[in-house]
């Protein structure tokens, strides 16, 4: 999502032109844009072909403009340089973070099926997103044979896991490692909770999808989870999570803090900070403490292995000039 300043400026110049205003930055452009309806800016105009790694689904993002008033660099680079707030960190992701993003890749990558059905779809996605050299390295690390014994859609699961690893878990590992090396406490979690029948609501595997933990933190719509997964203690897990998050907000430590109505904290294991032991908190009906490993594989991959995260730490993300309109089914 991070965009270089020059490329972002070109994107918005093109956007202004597609909205019927002058493309060049000028008082006339500003006046024209101010007179447009907000609908011109909530999604890319239909006659616009953008230059963005995620156009048209996510056409805009944080711009690395190199200034202290904007963003000097991408966050992990700044963190590793010690240019970040010296405060405790709570960071984590869900077991199936990539599941809802995998079918959306086809809105970005030309000629892909809506779901990845074969190696051609996987290669189209990787070739669009990465350099040829990195594409080859990723192909070597993510082989369909790893995902074939479990489930009926191995290419879909392969791509969803790759998205999860590079966008969420592995970047979390990198940030937590830098936090620890700076002498600061970081608490890493992963949500691994059986949401039951939720997979029957979509034509693809959802699992513990992106943002499914938010409902547990704020205790909203828990009845939906209870219907989908009868017999599981959804309320109990929500109590644990909300208490730990509140304790962290209060004291900088999810294990402490004088927070009312948080007796559940005494019934679960202590959440250790991330350090040389490389421990993370697995959020289950009864949470457990787990450790990052060197070469664990799917489906034993609540947290991806070091081999995969080491790979993602070294890839680059070139931009692609996508001269095409959004597919008709993109809303």
């Amino acid at each position: 999502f991070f965009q270089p300043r020059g490329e972002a400026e070109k994107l918005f110049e093109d956007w202004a032109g597609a909205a019927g205003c002058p493309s060049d930055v000028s008082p006339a452009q500003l006046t024209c844009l101010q007179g447009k309806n907000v609908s011109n800016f909530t999604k890319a105009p239909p006659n616009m072909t953008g230059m963005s790694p995620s156009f048209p689904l996510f056409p805009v993002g944080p711009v690395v403009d190199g200034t202290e008033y904007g963003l000097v660099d991408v966050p992990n680079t700044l963190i590793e340089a010690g240019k970040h707030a010296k405060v405790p960190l709570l960071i984590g992701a869900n077991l199936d973070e990539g599941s809802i993003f995998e079918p959306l890749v086809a809105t970005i990558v030309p000629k892909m099926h809506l779901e990845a059905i074969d190696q051609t779809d996987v290669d189209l996605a990787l070739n669009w997103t990465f350099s040829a050299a990195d594409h080859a390295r990723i192909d070597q690390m993510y082989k369909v044979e790893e995902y074939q014994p479990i489930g009926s859609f191995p290419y879909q699961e392969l791509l969803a896991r790759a998205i999860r690893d590079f966008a969420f878990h592995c970047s979390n590992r990198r940030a937590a490692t830098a936090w620890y090396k700076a002498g600061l406490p970081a608490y890493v979690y992963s949500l691994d909770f059986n949401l039951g029948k939720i997979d029957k609501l979509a034509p693809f595997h959802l699992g513990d999808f992106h943002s499914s933990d938010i409902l547990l933190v704020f205790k909203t719509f828990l009845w939906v989870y209870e219907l989908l997964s009868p017999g599981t203690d959804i309320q109990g897990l929500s109590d644990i999570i909300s208490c730990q998050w509140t304790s962290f907000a209060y004291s900088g430590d999810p294990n402490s803090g004088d927070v009312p109505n948080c007796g559940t904290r005494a019934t679960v294991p202590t959440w250790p900070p991330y350090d040389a032991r490389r421990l993370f908190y697995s959020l289950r009906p009864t949470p457990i403490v787990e450790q990052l490993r060197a070469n664990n594989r799917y489906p034993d991959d609540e947290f991806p292995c070091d081999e995969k995260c080491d790979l993602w730490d070294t890839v680059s993300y070139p931009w692609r000039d996508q001269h095409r309109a959004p597919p008709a089914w993109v809303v």
Side-chain angles (χ1 to χ4, degrees), residues 38-92:
V38 69
S39 61
N40 286 275
F41 310 107
T42 54
K43 64 179 181 179
N47 58 331
M48 176 187 174
T49 56
M51 183 174 181
S52 165
S54 52
F55 181 89
L57 187 61
F58 300 112
V60 300
V63 177
V64 179
D65 63 359
T67 75
E68 62 183 22
Y69 305 105
L71 194 57
V72 176
D73 209 328
V74 294
N76 269 330
T77 300
L78 296 175
I79 291 169
E80 289 170 343
K83 298 177 180 178
H84 61 91
K86 306 303 189 290
V87 296
L89 174 69
L90 191 152
I91 190 170

Side-chain angles (χ1 to χ4, degrees), residues 18-31:
C21 294
S23 294
D24 60 304
V25 178
S26 64
Q29 182 198 62
L30 179 60
T31 300

Side-chain angles (χ1 to χ4, degrees), residues 254-309:
N255 305 292
S256 63
D258 185 17
V259 180
N261 303 316
C262 274
T264 57
R265 206 172 42 233
T267 67
V268 298
T270 299
W271 186 341
Y274 187 90
D275 53 25
R277 299 170 297 172
R278 305 187 325 128
L279 302 177
F280 70 94
Y281 210 61
S282 177
L283 291 169
R284 309 178 182 188
T286 300
I288 61 174
V289 176
E290 295 275 30
Q291 186 176 39
L292 273 59
R293 290 174 286 166
N295 57 5
N296 53 297
R297 290 292 187 263
Y298 179 89
D300 182 24
D301 66 339
E302 179 181 359
F303 209 103
C305 65
D306 288 337
E307 290 179 335
K308 290 178 177 175
C309 284

Side-chain angles (χ1 to χ4, degrees), residues 88-271:
L89 174 69
L90 191 152
I91 190 170
N94 302 339
L95 177 65
D96 301 295
E97 284 281 358
S99 64
I100 64 173
F101 295 104
E102 184 272 336
L104 299 179
V105 173
T107 69
I108 301 169
V109 179
K111 300 181 180 180
M112 267 194 71
H113 290 97
L114 181 58
E115 293 283 351
I117 63 172
D118 53 27
Q119 189 62 41
T120 297
D121 280 332
V122 173
D123 286 337
L124 282 169
L126 295 179
N127 183 61
W128 181 262
T129 313
F130 305 104
S131 68
D134 284 338
H135 178 174
R137 295 167 60 210
I138 297 165
D139 266 343
Q140 286 298 311
M141 185 64 67
Y142 288 82
K143 293 184 176 297
V144 71
E145 290 79 12
E146 181 178 345
Y147 305 91
Q148 281 177 329
I150 307 295
S152 304
F153 307 99
Y155 293 99
Q156 172 187 320
E157 192 66 14
L158 182 159
L159 191 54
R161 274 301 202 255
I163 293 170
R164 179 203 73 167
D165 295 350
F166 88 79
F168 298 98
H169 275 308
C170 291
S171 60
N172 288 348
R173 186 194 75 156
R174 183 176 172 184
T177 299
W179 228 262
Y180 155 63
K181 289 182 177 179
L184 298 166
Y187 299 90
V188 180
Y189 75 88
S190 174
L191 176 68
D192 182 5
F193 188 80
N194 183 6
L195 293 179
K197 299 177 182 178
I198 197 166
D199 279 343
K200 299 186 181 300
L201 302 180
F204 51 89
H205 171 65
L206 278 174
D208 292 317
F209 59 92
H210 177 65
S211 78
S212 59
D213 52 337
I214 301 300
L215 302 186
L216 297 169
V217 174
F218 294 102
K219 298 182 176 294
T220 53
F221 300 106
L222 293 184
W223 59 270
V224 176
Y225 286 170
E226 290 169 347
L227 286 175
L228 294 171
S229 189
T232 57
D233 190 7
I234 298 287
Q235 185 65 55
L237 180 60
S238 180
D239 288 345
I240 292 168
I241 292 174
S242 61
C243 281
Q244 289 175 317
W245 264 241
T246 304
S247 297
F248 178 81
Y250 181 85
S251 67
D253 184 340
N255 305 292
S256 63
D258 185 17
V259 180
N261 303 316
C262 274
T264 57
R265 206 172 42 233
T267 67
V268 298
T270 299
W271 186 341

